[in-house]
Amino acid sequence: MSLPALNKYVQAFFETLLMVGSSALIAISLGLLLAIVLTITARNSLYPKPRFHRGLSATVNVFRAVPFIIMLVALLPVTRFLVGTTLGTWAAVVPLTVNLIPFYARIAQVSLNEVDPGLVEAARAMGCRRWHIVRHVLLPEALPGIVGGMTVSIIAMINASAMAGAVGAGGLGDLAIRYGYERYETRVMFEVIVILIALVSIIQLFGEKLSRRLDHKH
């Protein structure tokens, strides 16, 4: 492989890492916060607010129901307002983030709901405040599931970032489409697929290992 060709792959690879890394950092932080709010406002939970919970849950479902490619187009005005353009790597960060927040929120919410209610009741009986229970009981107990959800979400975001390449976001998806599809350079497309498989496999292995290490139940 010539040096210019190698540089092309390296640039696309780091554009993908930038897109996925930036989006994941924002989306996982906000998604976890959203999951905590959904969990503690549910009926019979720490801070029951059934109406608020139903409204927030419905909003999450609405955003989850929109396919990524449609959301990407629908958010173009928002993307232009926030980053000043609708093309390029940073422009892709906006729809990727909005797409992942409700997805990760649901995964994290499931992990939080699986925490043994007896531990929460014991903490309440000892006089712990609500946020102390969230910080010292719910989050530590749900941590393996939360980390596992991060792994799934980041892999889903890598797939979505490849789709964003179709609208000029850059990255490996853009490389595969421009060379593999539009210029009929099939070899480029297969090489991009191999890179994506390797990247996803590494993230999956690392995520599983970290999740097992955090799981003190086994």
Side-chain angles (χ1 to χ4, degrees), residues 40-154:
I40 66 173
T41 57
R43 192 183 297 276
N44 300 324
S45 191
L46 290 172
Y47 196 74
K49 295 286 182 185
R51 289 186 179 178
F52 174 80
H53 177 84
R54 283 196 296 271
L56 188 59
S57 183
T59 303
V60 169
N61 289 340
V62 167
F63 276 91
R64 285 193 63 198
V66 180
F68 175 68
I69 193 69
I70 295 175
M71 181 175 290
L72 191 150
V73 176
L75 288 176
L76 286 178
V78 179
T79 302
R80 186 180 290 109
F81 174 77
L82 290 176
V83 299
T85 179
T86 57
L87 295 174
T89 304
W90 287 111
V93 170
V94 176
L96 283 171
T97 302
V98 174
N99 182 62
L100 186 70
I101 289 174
F103 179 78
Y104 180 66
R106 284 301 189 200
I107 294 177
Q109 184 189 3
V110 170
S111 299
L112 290 167
N113 286 337
E114 287 178 348
V115 174
D116 185 358
L119 294 175
V120 176
E121 288 304 318
R124 295 179 87 165
M126 288 188 290
C128 291
R129 295 181 178 178
R130 291 164 179 163
W131 282 107
H132 286 170
I133 295 174
V134 172
R135 182 180 175 185
H136 298 293
V137 178
L138 283 180
L139 288 176
E141 289 295 321
L143 195 54
I146 288 172
V147 171
M150 287 180 187
T151 306
V152 173
S153 300
I154 291 172

